[in-house]
Amino acid sequence: DGYINITENDGDNWRQIKVSQLPNVPSTAFVNDIKADLHDANVVYVALDNHKYGDFKPYLLKSTNKGKSWKSLSGNIPDNHLVWRLVQDHMAPNLLFIGTEFGLFFSVNHGETWTALKGNVPTISFRDLAIQKRENDLVAASFGRGFYILDDFSALRQVTESDLNSEAKLFPIRDAWWYIEQSHLSFEKDK
């Protein structure tokens, strides 16, 4: 039986939670990722994995009370998509991303429902995710197929569940830089 250890006083005391105590998680599962919420000190997310026992289900849970109780966030993640990583947007608390065995997903409602990120991303295992805060880029590392970058995902901060069910949505545009090529050498015409 694996464990999750939680401290609320900078490591002076620890509370231990057995993996088998988590709702609907087998005792043989191990922790792939654990993340503290960036916006709420009471919230923690954990992704677990039981594939070594032939179980590829996504075990993704959230606690809103520092690990005292847990709720599954695996709702509409496909059954065979075990979850490797979770990251949360640094600006929009409700926007989450996960890397799974067969792709990338995002949620605009704190993980209640998930939407696959497509855009010609191959159906492969994404083992690590990071957000480049300055550029608002999602960087996803695959297992053996390189890195993929979702360039400036900031539009997803405005997406609602109803937007995801509509045919299309127009987002506001941001200012762009105009590039004018200029020689590095200063040449003057003969007078």
Side-chain angles (χ1 to χ4, degrees):
D1 212 357
Y3 297 94
I4 297 172
N5 296 302
I6 296 176
T7 182
E8 296 180 44
N9 55 9
D10 296 326
D12 289 339
N13 298 3
W14 290 86
R15 183 167 35 95
Q16 196 171 71
I17 301 167
K18 285 185 176 183
V19 167
S20 60
Q21 293 173 304
L22 299 173
N24 301 313
V25 175
S27 62
T28 52
F30 59 92
V31 176
N32 275 346
D33 199 10
I34 188 162
K35 292 283 177 21
D37 190 282
L38 300 176
H39 308 273
D40 185 342
N42 296 306
V43 177
V44 63
Y45 303 91
V46 64
L48 299 107
D49 170 6
N50 197 39
H51 84 274
K52 290 184 179 181
Y53 293 88
D55 176 7
F56 292 88
K57 290 179 186 169
Y59 295 104
L60 181 62
L61 294 102
K62 174 183 179 180
S63 173
T64 57
N65 55 12
K66 299 180 182 177
K68 293 178 180 79
S69 64
W70 297 86
K71 174 186 175 184
S72 175
L73 298 181
S74 301
N76 69 326
I77 301 170
D79 282 343
N80 60 347
H81 284 248
L82 69 92
V83 179
W84 291 107
R85 291 289 175 267
L86 177 138
V87 292
Q88 180 182 35
D89 183 25
H90 54 285
M91 294 185 73
N94 60 313
L95 182 57
L96 304 174
F97 298 91
I98 57 173
T100 75
E101 184 65 16
F102 297 108
L104 299 168
F105 292 79
F106 73 96
S107 173
V108 296
N109 55 15
H110 299 278
E112 295 295 320
T113 56
W114 296 94
T115 302
L117 278 170
K118 299 199 179 188
N120 295 324
V121 174
T123 304
I124 53 176
S125 179
F126 283 96
R127 299 289 179 98
D128 207 359
L129 298 175
I131 290 177
Q132 301 295 314
K133 291 180 183 178
R134 187 187 74 191
E135 304 299 330
N136 296 306
D137 291 348
L138 176 70
V139 180
S142 74
F143 186 67
R145 297 277 304 270
F147 288 86
Y148 293 82
I149 299 172
L150 174 57
D151 185 35
D152 190 7
F153 65 79
S154 60
L156 292 178
R157 293 178 181 138
Q158 303 165 24
V159 172
T160 65
E161 286 182 73
S162 61
D163 293 337
L164 294 171
N165 295 321
S166 64
E167 188 174 337
K169 176 176 173 86
L170 291 175
F171 292 97
I173 58 172
R174 63 181 177 162
D175 291 340
W177 293 96
W178 185 19
Y179 175 72
I180 301 173
E181 191 170 343
Q182 188 174 22
S183 172
H184 291 287
L185 302 174
S186 178
F187 293 106
E188 290 187 31
K189 290 186 176 187
D190 291 334
K191 295 184 179 181

